[in-house]
Amino acid sequence: MLRLILLILISASSAIAESVVVGMDKEKVAITATFDGSQILLFGAVKRDKPAPSGNIQVIVTIAGPSEPISVHRKSKVFGIWMNTDTVEVDAAPSFYAVATSSDLSSTINDTEDLRYKVSIPRAIQSVGAPMDVLDAASFSDAVIRIRSNQGLYQLHENKVDIDEQTLFRTSIEMPADISDGDYTARILLTRNGNVIDEFTTIIDVRKVGLERFLFNMSRENPLSYGLMSIAIAIFAGWAASLLFRFFRTT
């Protein structure tokens, strides 16, 4: 019994031998009318209770936006007309997802740990609800990745995390202008020999502020009033432009 307790204590001690301490230059991002994107700087250090074991430490940083379901359609020509012929529901697809690593992703984390922690972009997306007659449902997830990667919403940055003396690390991730608001989850994982030895998670608050937030909330909570207000603004803008045009024409 005593030997078992000692083994448990030794295992616990080795498990916390290396841990991560993280800081960020900003924990809140305000989306305004002039918002053209933001850069998140993450930095930290590896805390050790004893000398580091053999093998280089590696660092992975991920930032994930709020998850949302997506309906992905495939168009095919039917009787000469392009129509949606197949639809797959992609569940829990993050609105934004970025991965930065200190080395090549394949050498930073192995497949088993990638499956467990859902680090890579394909693992961060789950495909569910595929019709029985759609044999290549995975291609719909690939389409989401391709489209959002082209929009800058899905990013993979290999060899972008700088590590100094196997202790200090830093990286930065660009967030595009068309990100959605919500709680963004930032994760920092320490790996050695492809295995995760520690994980740190924090939240980045991304919110619309000012008039943008008022209009966004109004469009969601009271769409009728939002629609009527939009029509009224459009009518007023048209009337003001016509009045201004007549004024300049008569002068």
Side-chain angles (χ1 to χ4, degrees), residues 18-30:
E18 293 180 295
S19 58
V20 60
V21 181
V22 179
M24 293 188 298
D25 66 334
K26 62 184 71 173
E27 296 182 355
K28 293 184 178 181
V29 176

Side-chain angles (χ1 to χ4, degrees), residues 97-99 105 114 118-125 145 149 154-156:
Y97 192 74
V99 184
L105 181 62
D114 186 16
K118 294 179 172 57
V119 172
S120 62
I121 296 176
R123 292 278 165 76
I125 296 178
I145 295 174
S149 296
Y154 286 176
Q155 307 172 11
L156 173 60

Side-chain angles (χ1 to χ4, degrees), residues 6-70:
L6 288 175
L7 289 175
I8 294 175
L9 290 176
I10 292 173
S11 300
S13 176
S14 61
I16 62 173
E18 293 180 295
S19 58
V20 60
V21 181
V22 179
M24 293 188 298
D25 66 334
K26 62 184 71 173
E27 296 182 355
K28 293 184 178 181
V29 176
I31 301 178
T32 63
T34 59
F35 180 75
D36 59 354
S38 180
Q39 182 184 74
I40 304 296
L41 173 65
L42 298 102
F43 52 90
V46 180
K47 180 181 178 181
R48 295 186 174 92
D49 298 331
K50 61 182 182 180
S54 60
N56 291 333
I57 197 78
Q58 302 290 351
V59 178
I60 302 174
V61 176
T62 70
I63 296 181
S67 294
E68 56 189 12
I70 305 175

Side-chain angles (χ1 to χ4, degrees), residues 147-162:
I147 293 171
R148 293 195 167 181
S149 296
N150 294 335
Q151 296 172 342
L153 296 175
Y154 286 176
Q155 307 172 11
L156 173 60
H157 305 289
E158 297 178 299
N159 302 287
K160 192 180 178 181
V161 180
D162 298 323

Side-chain angles (χ1 to χ4, degrees), residues 220-241:
R220 296 297 187 274
E221 298 170 3
N222 198 338
L224 178 60
S225 298
Y226 177 79
L228 293 175
M229 185 183 68
S230 299
I231 294 173
I233 292 175
I235 293 174
F236 175 79
W239 172 80

Side-chain angles (χ1 to χ4, degrees), residues 52 54 83 116 128 130 146 151 170 174 197 201 219 233 241:
S54 60
M83 301 176 61
R116 178 183 177 188
V128 297
R146 183 178 65 255
Q151 296 172 342
R170 69 185 302 274
E174 298 285 344
I197 59 178
T201 303
S219 66
I233 292 175

Side-chain angles (χ1 to χ4, degrees), residues 141-192:
S141 295
D142 295 338
V144 174
I145 295 174
R146 183 178 65 255
I147 293 171
R148 293 195 167 181
S149 296
N150 294 335
Q151 296 172 342
L153 296 175
Y154 286 176
Q155 307 172 11
L156 173 60
H157 305 289
E158 297 178 299
N159 302 287
K160 192 180 178 181
V161 180
D162 298 323
I163 302 179
D164 186 20
E165 299 295 333
Q166 289 291 293
T167 301
L168 304 176
F169 64 88
R170 69 185 302 274
T171 190
S172 61
I173 292 179
E174 298 285 344
M175 304 177 75
D178 55 345
I179 57 174
S180 58
D181 64 344
D183 293 334
Y184 283 60
T185 303
R187 291 190 304 164
I188 295 85
L189 297 96
L190 293 182
T191 68
R192 189 181 293 279

